[in-house]
Amino acid sequence: MITGNRQKRPLASLLAGGLALLSLAVSAVANEPDPHPRTKTLMKRQWGIEVMYVRQTSAGYMLEFRYKVLDAEKAAALFERQTKPLLTHIDTGAILVVPTPAKTGALRNSNMPIAGNTYWMFFANPGKLVQVGDQVNIEIGEFSVDGLYVK
């Protein structure tokens, strides 16, 4: 005879196992290695910005690059309209661009920067190619930052 407890145990152990795997996946993303401390200092000194993150948005079909301007004069090169930002997916070598819809224009900030403000730009991510935990490089003219982890 099968009792009610025996029927629930496999389901409970299955749920517990699933939760354990989920917590491992979350901790793996949260424990991504930090870049070398001098990398952040170089960004601040040379470009006047602090990179905050790259993350998936729009159900994974877009990637948001967010950064804070510390020195508006040094960061001005990142805001030039004629400069086309590129995001390179390290695993596949795919190059993603900032979309430019007809009504809104490029999905990035291009007005003169103000020190202390946070700015963004969106990159198209067709087919959800870039996933959470993947590494990407970003180039905006002469500016380049390598090995950013997608959140």
Side-chain angles (χ1 to χ4, degrees), residues 46-64:
Q46 185 175 358
W47 296 102
I49 70 160
E50 179 180 346
V51 174
M52 297 173 75
Y53 55 79
V54 175
R55 72 174 179 181
Q56 278 190 338
T57 188
S58 301
Y61 289 102
M62 301 285 276
L63 299 170
E64 176 189 7

Side-chain angles (χ1 to χ4, degrees), residues 60-63 87 95-99 107 122-127 130:
Y61 289 102
M62 301 285 276
L63 299 170
L87 181 143
I95 297 175
L96 309 178
V97 297
V98 173
L107 298 179
F122 291 105
F123 292 90
N125 188 20
V130 180

Side-chain angles (χ1 to χ4, degrees), residues 7-118:
Q7 289 177 345
K8 291 181 183 178
R9 281 188 190 159
L11 179 61
S13 64
L14 181 63
L15 288 174
L19 289 174
L21 286 174
L22 179 63
S23 67
L24 283 174
V26 169
S27 67
V29 171
N31 293 330
E32 54 198 37
D34 287 333
H36 194 279
R38 286 190 226 168
T39 304
K40 289 182 179 181
T41 304
L42 177 66
M43 288 291 155
K44 292 176 186 177
R45 189 176 26 170
Q46 185 175 358
W47 296 102
I49 70 160
E50 179 180 346
V51 174
M52 297 173 75
Y53 55 79
V54 175
R55 72 174 179 181
Q56 278 190 338
T57 188
S58 301
Y61 289 102
M62 301 285 276
L63 299 170
E64 176 189 7
F65 172 54
R66 191 166 288 258
Y67 54 98
K68 183 175 184 176
V69 171
L70 305 172
D71 184 331
E73 199 171 304
K74 291 179 180 177
L78 279 70
F79 291 79
E80 293 177 8
R81 292 175 199 252
Q82 56 272 28
T83 305
K84 302 298 180 204
L86 302 173
L87 181 143
T88 305
H89 185 224
I90 292 176
D91 290 344
T92 62
I95 297 175
L96 309 178
V97 297
V98 173
T100 308
K103 289 190 176 192
T104 62
L107 298 179
R108 64 179 280 206
N109 296 111
S110 58
N111 294 335
M112 290 306 297
I114 300 171
N117 284 1
T118 301

